[in-house]
Amino acid sequence: MKLNIEKEALQVAVSKPITVDFAEFQADPKAVFDLAEREKSVVHVMDGEKIASVVMSQAQYTFALDEIESLYDVIDELTVNDDLANSDEKTYSVSDAAFEQIRDWKPDEGWD
């Protein structure tokens, strides 16, 4: 599994976060979104001392979604591998001779 990493999305880790006051965000939210796009950096919208929101560029958002999806894929793969390793069931690949018998097997008519 290869992760596609965009250079501009990685700037989040190396740049100092930009902050704007919540009132400034309320007054002109588009300016804050434009700032995130232009600076290719997250913008923390502050409500006093607390972070009320985080605005990021489209590239950063896409990168974050891709990373989350990749992590879910890894979790799924690890879960399946763990289930198979701890199972008493035999698994067959399509190259196994027994696979032909399993593929052609038909349950009894009365079987639910």
Side-chain angles (χ1 to χ4, degrees):
M1 177 181 316
K2 184 180 178 194
L3 301 179
N4 183 16
I5 299 174
E6 296 177 26
K7 182 180 177 183
E8 62 190 63
L10 292 177
Q11 290 180 352
V12 173
V14 295
S15 64
K16 185 176 180 183
I18 300 168
T19 61
V20 297
D21 186 66
F22 190 73
E24 184 181 347
F25 178 72
Q26 283 182 313
D28 192 1
K30 183 169 178 358
V32 178
F33 287 107
D34 291 343
L35 176 63
E37 283 292 334
R38 184 175 63 252
E39 298 296 324
K40 307 257 189 277
S41 178
V42 297
V43 177
H44 293 167
V45 179
M46 303 300 291
D47 186 10
E49 296 293 316
K50 293 193 255 181
I51 297 175
S53 182
V54 176
V55 178
M56 62 181 70
S57 71
Q58 265 188 318
Q60 291 168 323
Y61 179 75
T62 301
F63 176 78
L65 285 179
D66 289 346
E67 285 295 295
I68 290 168
E69 188 174 307
S70 294
L71 290 172
Y72 276 120
D73 289 344
V74 169
I75 290 169
D76 288 345
E77 187 175 322
L78 291 173
T79 301
V80 167
N81 288 340
D82 184 56
D83 288 348
L84 289 174
N86 294 318
S87 173
D88 291 338
E89 298 175 9
K90 175 137 177 63
T91 57
Y92 297 93
S93 74
V94 292
S95 60
D96 287 328
F99 176 77
E100 293 298 321
Q101 292 174 324
I102 293 169
R103 188 186 68 190
D104 296 334
W105 178 72
K106 297 197 179 8
D108 294 335
E109 292 293 323
W111 198 51
D112 291 322

